[in-house]
Amino acid sequence: MRLWSILITLFVIFLPTGSLAQPTVAYQQRASQLLDMLSAPVGEDAYFSTLFLDAVPVAQWRALAADLRKQHGKPLARGAVQVESPTTGVVEIRYERATIGFTLVVAPQAPHRVIGLQLVGIKQNDDSMDRVLADIAVLPGQAALSIARLDEAGPVWLHGHRADALMATGSSFKLYIVAELARAVAAGERRWSDVIPLSHKSFSGRLLTSPDGAPMTLHSLALAMIAESDNSAADTLLLALGRARVDAMVGTSGHARPDATLPLLTTAEAFALKMPANADLARRYVAATPDARRALIAADAKRLTAGAVDIGTVAEVPTAIDSIEWFATPRDMVHLLDWLRRNGGDALPILAVNPGIAPADAKRWRYLGYKGGSEPGVIAMNFLAQGRDGRWFAIAASWNDSAARVDEARFVTLLTRALNLIAQ
């Protein structure tokens, strides 16, 4: 992972969504000095707070600044400053080959030293979709992408790379669950406010530590599943809605080869199948038809629980990502996103809680919904976006490497570039 792909985050900062304020004199001064700090770092003690330098020592800061110069050329000028409070805003710095946005937070008390700094967006100069596609094509392993404008008649395909390649998509399958929930609500079969017990806790996520059987609304489960990718919420919803109904949504939403991914496994089942102790079940599962797979997971349910998962055995290396996974092509995911655009209803605000990219880049869009997925060897990103002019787009991409972990930050940067180019 590149040193500056996730830069420095002293605090996790969520900018408010209110109207922009005018920068104060103190904030404007620190914003202007950032150019000098990135160009030829010196005098860090006077610019950064002690708290910041305890987290990011001077030597590390200088190495980070040097890495940015190596990647993007010399810093040339300070660009726009968008302040949302007297102490917090986004500052753009123009480099020779890119414009980079930083969230800058200054202390409210004099001398207003910098207490927080985070890289929140990179816009390459003279970037193009052809360059993005070329960078995706050379990723190790296999990568695939599809970008479409969503018209009333359906997707209009704009750009793609191996768009019909069947890919492992990780937690992207949770979009099928929220789509089925939205369908059931629209049909009057469910209500977002319906309460069900947290009945199928999985091996990771915030809800793992919640009491067994805790009462949860369908809305709160969907929010945890999408915004936090909580596995317990996903497994509980999948089985509460009915696996057969969620499986049906795979075909309804436009998946071209649903048998390649059906039945949709719970997260506990999928990773239990990946365990060495269940190698015999995995072999039978991979060779079986969808109906035989359903029978297998029903017959061996006691072996396919979260308790069977030793997450350490799959946390570092890709494991069965080409055989026991949730599979879809980028075009399949675009069709699913288009289905959600048309029929998602109250699911759409849930998709927009976590936009998947830096806030400064997400703000280029009127609406940006997102759900991705990742595990060793797999990353997928799926965006439903509405431009400032009202037009809708879908972007779906996956990168699989069965030999090594993928560089997630590199992939996020590529997809951010694609989104920024479309937003223009």
Side-chain angles (χ1 to χ4, degrees):
M1 181 183 297
R2 290 179 180 176
L3 192 58
W4 271 84
S5 294
I6 303 180
L7 192 60
I8 315 154
T9 308
L10 185 56
F11 304 113
V12 178
I13 302 162
F14 295 94
L15 297 181
T17 57
S19 58
L20 296 177
Q22 292 297 315
T24 63
V25 172
Y27 193 91
Q28 190 81 20
Q29 181 181 24
R30 291 305 185 193
S32 296
Q33 291 169 343
L34 180 59
L35 175 65
D36 295 329
M37 295 304 300
L38 292 163
S39 300
V42 67
E44 288 87 352
D45 290 346
Y47 185 74
F48 293 113
S49 69
T50 301
L51 182 62
F52 184 97
L53 291 175
D54 285 344
V56 186
V58 169
Q60 183 181 359
W61 161 255
R62 292 181 179 179
L64 292 168
D67 188 71
L68 266 188
R69 294 193 299 272
K70 179 179 178 181
Q71 291 184 50
H72 306 292
K74 295 179 181 178
L76 301 177
R78 195 210 73 199
V81 178
Q82 296 181 336
V83 180
E84 300 218 18
S85 79
T87 60
T88 303
V90 175
V91 179
E92 289 186 346
I93 301 295
R94 295 173 187 158
Y95 282 72
E96 289 179 306
R97 296 188 292 274
T99 297
I100 302 178
F102 298 87
T103 294
L104 181 72
V105 183
V106 302
Q109 306 88 2
H112 307 288
R113 290 191 174 96
V114 171
I115 59 175
L117 185 66
Q118 182 183 28
L119 188 154
V120 293
I122 299 175
K123 181 181 177 183
Q124 302 291 334
N125 296 344
D126 301 320
D127 203 6
S128 69
M129 196 61 70
D130 286 343
R131 291 185 179 182
V132 172
L133 293 174
D135 289 343
I136 288 175
V138 298
L139 293 173
Q142 301 291 330
L145 171 141
S146 183
I147 300 174
R149 187 178 70 248
L150 305 179
D151 290 351
E152 288 310 305
V156 177
W157 307 108
L158 302 177
H159 307 280
H161 172 72
R162 302 179 67 248
D164 291 314
L166 204 62
M167 304 290 290
T169 63
S171 285
S172 302
F173 85 98
K174 295 168 185 176
L175 286 170
Y176 289 112
I177 300 175
V178 80
E180 168 54 24
L181 177 53
R183 184 211 63 78
V185 170
E189 301 165 9
R190 302 275 186 170
R191 295 175 299 175
W192 290 103
S193 59
D194 287 349
V195 175
I196 64 172
L198 181 62
S199 56
H200 290 81
K201 292 168 70 174
S202 192
F203 55 85
S204 66
R206 173 175 55 87
L207 296 184
L208 178 60
T209 58
S210 295
D212 293 343
M216 306 281 294
T217 67
L218 296 180
H219 189 278
S220 59
L221 285 168
L223 182 60
M225 176 180 70
I226 297 298
E228 305 171 36
S229 206
D230 191 284
N231 289 333
S232 299
D235 290 3
T236 295
L237 274 176
L238 173 60
L239 298 176
L241 294 171
R243 196 194 310 261
R245 288 180 177 269
V246 181
D247 283 357
M249 177 54 67
V250 175
T252 297
S253 63
H255 197 298
R257 288 172 281 173
D259 283 1
T261 198
L262 295 181
L264 290 181
L265 295 165
T266 66
T267 62
E269 290 164 348
F271 283 89
L273 280 169
K274 293 173 185 276
M275 293 297 106
N278 287 328
D280 60 321
L281 288 182
R283 285 191 295 269
R284 288 161 47 203
Y285 184 88
V286 171
T289 65
D291 285 342
R293 290 173 179 173
R294 292 184 179 98
L296 183 149
I297 59 178
D300 292 283
K302 292 182 179 179
R303 295 175 62 182
L304 301 177
T305 66
V309 178
D310 174 12
I311 198 62
T313 64
V314 294
E316 295 299 326
V317 297
T319 305
I321 66 170
D322 56 352
S323 56
I324 300 172
E325 255 288 341
W326 301 275
F327 295 104
T329 72
R331 286 198 178 191
D332 292 333
M333 300 308 297
V334 167
H335 282 298
L336 173 56
L337 292 167
D338 192 33
W339 190 97
L340 283 163
R341 174 182 71 96
R342 299 167 183 271
N343 306 289
D346 288 339
L348 294 184
I350 292 174
L351 293 175
V353 171
N354 174 6
I357 60 173
D361 293 307
K363 287 182 180 181
R364 300 177 192 272
W365 297 92
R366 178 184 296 178
Y367 169 89
L368 187 62
Y370 170 75
K371 182 71 191 84
S374 65
E375 63 181 90
V378 175
I379 184 170
M381 302 185 76
N382 308 281
F383 298 92
L384 177 62
Q386 186 182 33
R388 296 292 177 183
D389 60 1
R391 294 188 299 167
W392 286 89
F393 299 86
I395 300 99
S398 299
W399 177 16
N400 299 170
D401 190 343
S402 59
R405 297 181 68 95
V406 297
D407 185 341
E408 295 183 6
R410 180 179 179 183
F411 201 62
V412 172
T413 298
L414 287 169
L415 270 293
T416 300
R417 286 169 57 195
L419 282 160
N420 288 345
L421 287 166
I422 300 167
Q424 294 177 10

